[in-house]
Amino acid sequence: MGKVKVPRKSTVVDMTAMTDVAFLLLTFFMLATQFKPEEAVVVDTPSSISEIKLPDTKVMQISIDKTGKIFFGLEGTEFRKALLDNIASKRQITFTATEKEEFSKLANFGTPLSELKSYLGMSKDQRKKYNEETKGIPCDSTQNATNELKDWIIESRRVTNSAAVIAIKGDRDSNYPVVKNIIATLQAQKANRFNFITNMEQAPNL
């Protein structure tokens, strides 16, 4: 008796539909992802075992580089635009639409108000060189008239309805008197809750 031949089935799988889905997902994530702007200064933060993470929006960040220069930043494009409008009104400075748009793209800056307009008109390379030479944002907790950091803090809290999380990002080699000045400026505005940004390190085994 002859053997019954089982028809051989094709093992080829049509991957066209799967490829289309993968391509659509890739396109979606590329368009939906928002890349964080490059920060104006590199800060080598100290380490800690804290696992608390900062939110993605409404974060007011005060950075201190190793030479003690102060940089300021506020998360959120629309918040930055509103912040600049408030500062312009308070300090009687006029900014063009282009300057406002440029400001809204800044992760942070270390510019005195007297130099802010010219800073916003610089190219990326010019800003990089400027950030290396700038004296940073003036902050003297004993002199309200020259404490520009105070104004940035007040107006940032105003545009975020006091909901902004305050974070201090200090270089491990920065001077303590500068940090003390910043804390005194925050406390003068009754901002007594703030975070220190650190590098994550493994907790010791107990």
Side-chain angles (χ1 to χ4, degrees):
M1 185 174 178
K3 294 182 179 179
V4 178
K5 291 185 178 181
V6 179
R8 185 175 294 176
K9 294 183 180 180
S10 173
T11 57
V12 177
V13 178
D14 187 359
M15 295 294 291
T16 305
M18 187 65 71
T19 304
D20 289 342
V21 171
F23 181 75
L24 287 172
L25 285 172
L26 179 61
T27 304
F28 169 78
F29 286 116
M30 287 177 65
L31 295 174
T33 301
Q34 292 184 349
F35 295 98
K36 190 173 182 180
E38 182 181 356
E39 293 193 10
V41 62
V42 176
V43 175
D44 182 17
T45 56
S47 300
S48 77
I49 59 174
S50 174
E51 297 181 355
I52 300 173
K53 293 184 178 180
L54 292 175
D56 294 327
T57 58
K58 291 186 178 180
V59 177
M60 182 198 311
Q61 181 175 305
I62 303 168
S63 302
I64 313 147
D65 75 357
K66 60 183 178 182
T67 63
K69 294 183 293 189
I70 298 173
F71 293 75
F72 183 87
L74 178 66
E75 289 289 343
T77 301
E78 296 306 316
F79 288 133
R80 292 186 197 120
K81 289 180 179 179
L83 170 61
L84 188 63
D85 284 338
N86 285 11
I87 289 292
S89 176
K90 188 170 190 175
R91 291 282 185 155
Q92 298 182 344
I93 307 171
T94 302
F95 293 99
T96 65
T98 302
E99 290 168 343
K100 292 178 182 180
E101 187 64 29
E102 285 298 316
F103 183 83
S104 72
K105 299 174 184 176
L106 299 179
N108 60 0
F109 57 94
T111 317
L113 284 170
S114 60
E115 300 173 8
L116 184 55
K117 281 181 69 68
S118 60
Y119 180 76
L120 295 174
M122 294 179 184
S123 66
K124 186 176 180 180
D125 290 338
Q126 288 173 327
R127 287 179 187 172
K128 187 174 181 179
K129 183 179 179 181
Y130 175 91
N131 290 331
E132 295 173 354
E133 300 173 351
T134 181
K135 295 180 180 178
I137 296 175
C139 174
D140 185 346
S141 59
T142 64
Q143 300 290 333
N144 283 333
T146 57
N147 190 346
E148 294 181 6
L149 179 63
K150 178 198 69 173
D151 288 341
W152 290 112
I153 292 171
I154 291 173
E155 299 307 326
S156 291
R157 299 185 78 194
R158 185 166 293 161
V159 299
T160 60
N161 294 319
S162 296
V165 175
I166 303 171
I168 299 175
K169 186 178 182 180
D171 194 281
R172 64 173 68 246
D173 295 326
S174 58
N175 299 323
Y176 175 71
V178 178
V179 179
K180 183 179 179 181
N181 247 341
I182 292 172
I183 294 175
T185 299
L186 288 168
Q187 291 177 332
Q189 313 310 317
K190 295 182 172 56
N192 297 308
R193 296 185 63 181
F194 43 84
N195 304 271
F196 282 95
I197 298 176
T198 57
N199 287 327
M200 183 70 180
E201 73 175 24
Q202 188 174 357
N205 295 323
L206 301 177

